[in-house]
Amino acid sequence: MELSYLLTPSTINIQPFINEEYHYEGVMFITIQLREEAKDNHLPVIGEIIQGALPNPVVIVFEKQGNFQIGTCLKRLNKVDMSQVVLEESYYTPWFQLDDDSETIHQFIKTIHITNMSFSHFFQFYKDIHLAVQAFQHTKAVGAFIVAEDEGARQLIAQIQAHEAEITKWKNKMNKETQFNRKVEMNIKIQQLTKQIEQLKQQLR
């Protein structure tokens, strides 16, 4: 694990953001080189430990065999113990390669390019990265790279994910069902949910 970059007001023209809940004086970029045998389901646990141990906002870059995964986490001050932080929400991109020619990768890299970031203060700067990571994570479910900047968009994405989970549940039930009429009923439910997902996706675009 290495500290790749540390952005502070002395290294970049961005002001700290400090209030009763948030303390964003800079942004740390940490790179973690993983062994080939490292399991993907361990990464969120590693990320949570690192984010909880460091009070400043951290962008974690996991690297394994030329593939990258980026994680971010919004955090606020613990009102009982101001030296500690409370982790609010974490997001992780899928694995990707920098030379991947896909539209999603292009959009993600463009969104987090320094020229497209907010320089108003470090909270907004970090949040721009966080929302881009969130958009990348949700690309498969949503069907497009969409940065959810407002609550309405976030609710639509949450509904899509809930419907996707519901479809998976019904498909599993249908595979175990032996009665033909019950299979038909379940398939109808799946089709209805699929239609609703498409309608929600249209509202996002």
Side-chain angles (χ1 to χ4, degrees):
M1 183 174 76
E2 67 173 345
L3 177 61
S4 303
Y5 302 99
L6 175 60
L7 300 183
T8 66
S10 63
T11 60
I12 191 170
N13 187 26
I14 304 177
Q15 296 303 307
F17 180 85
I18 300 172
N19 62 17
E20 292 181 355
E21 286 195 302
Y22 298 101
H23 203 110
Y24 283 56
E25 292 187 279
V27 175
M28 301 174 70
F29 291 80
I30 291 176
T31 301
I32 301 176
Q33 296 277 352
L34 298 171
R35 295 178 180 176
E36 183 180 351
E37 61 270 21
K39 295 182 179 179
D40 288 357
N41 59 352
H42 291 168
L43 303 191
V45 178
I46 296 171
E48 184 174 340
I49 292 171
I50 293 171
Q51 295 286 5
L54 299 171
N56 286 326
V58 181
V59 177
I60 301 174
V61 180
F62 294 104
E63 183 178 355
K64 183 168 67 171
Q65 295 184 302
N67 296 295
F68 297 89
Q69 185 178 100
I70 297 175
T72 55
C73 177
L74 293 182
K75 57 184 82 171
R76 56 181 170 80
L77 293 173
N78 186 323
K79 293 184 178 180
V80 177
D81 183 355
M82 300 296 279
S83 66
Q84 301 294 317
V85 292
V86 177
L87 307 185
E88 293 187 324
E89 57 181 28
S90 298
Y91 293 106
Y92 295 88
T93 69
W95 286 106
F96 67 95
Q97 294 182 331
L98 292 176
D99 58 356
D100 192 320
D101 201 35
S102 72
E103 181 62 26
T104 298
I105 303 300
H106 281 302
Q107 288 182 301
F108 175 67
I109 292 175
K110 180 181 177 181
T111 302
I112 62 172
H113 192 278
I114 195 74
T115 58
N116 294 318
M117 307 283 287
S118 171
F119 276 50
S120 57
H121 47 69
F122 273 117
F123 181 72
Q124 189 58 55
F125 180 86
Y126 185 79
K127 192 173 181 182
D128 285 349
I129 302 173
H130 184 69
L131 290 175
V133 171
Q134 179 193 55
F136 196 171
Q137 178 182 312
H138 292 159
T139 298
K140 185 175 180 180
V142 175
F145 183 89
I146 297 174
V147 177
E149 296 182 355
D150 57 73
E151 185 59 32
R154 285 191 284 272
Q155 288 180 1
L156 288 171
I157 291 172
Q159 289 179 57
I160 290 171
Q161 292 178 309
H163 286 353
E164 292 279 7
E166 191 78 6
I167 286 174
T168 300
K169 184 186 77 173
W170 283 114
K171 283 182 176 179
N172 290 336
K173 284 186 176 181
M174 192 167 67
N175 289 335
K176 296 175 184 177
E177 183 58 57
T178 57
Q179 295 184 21
F180 179 75
N181 63 326
R182 287 288 297 148
K183 281 180 174 287
V184 172
E185 290 174 5
M186 291 177 185
N187 190 56
I188 290 172
K189 289 183 182 294
I190 290 171
Q191 296 303 317
Q192 289 173 339
L193 287 166
T194 301
K195 185 177 180 180
Q196 290 172 20
I197 287 173
E198 289 305 314
Q199 291 172 344
L200 291 168
K201 287 181 179 179
Q202 290 301 319
Q203 293 180 52
L204 271 173
R205 294 169 185 166

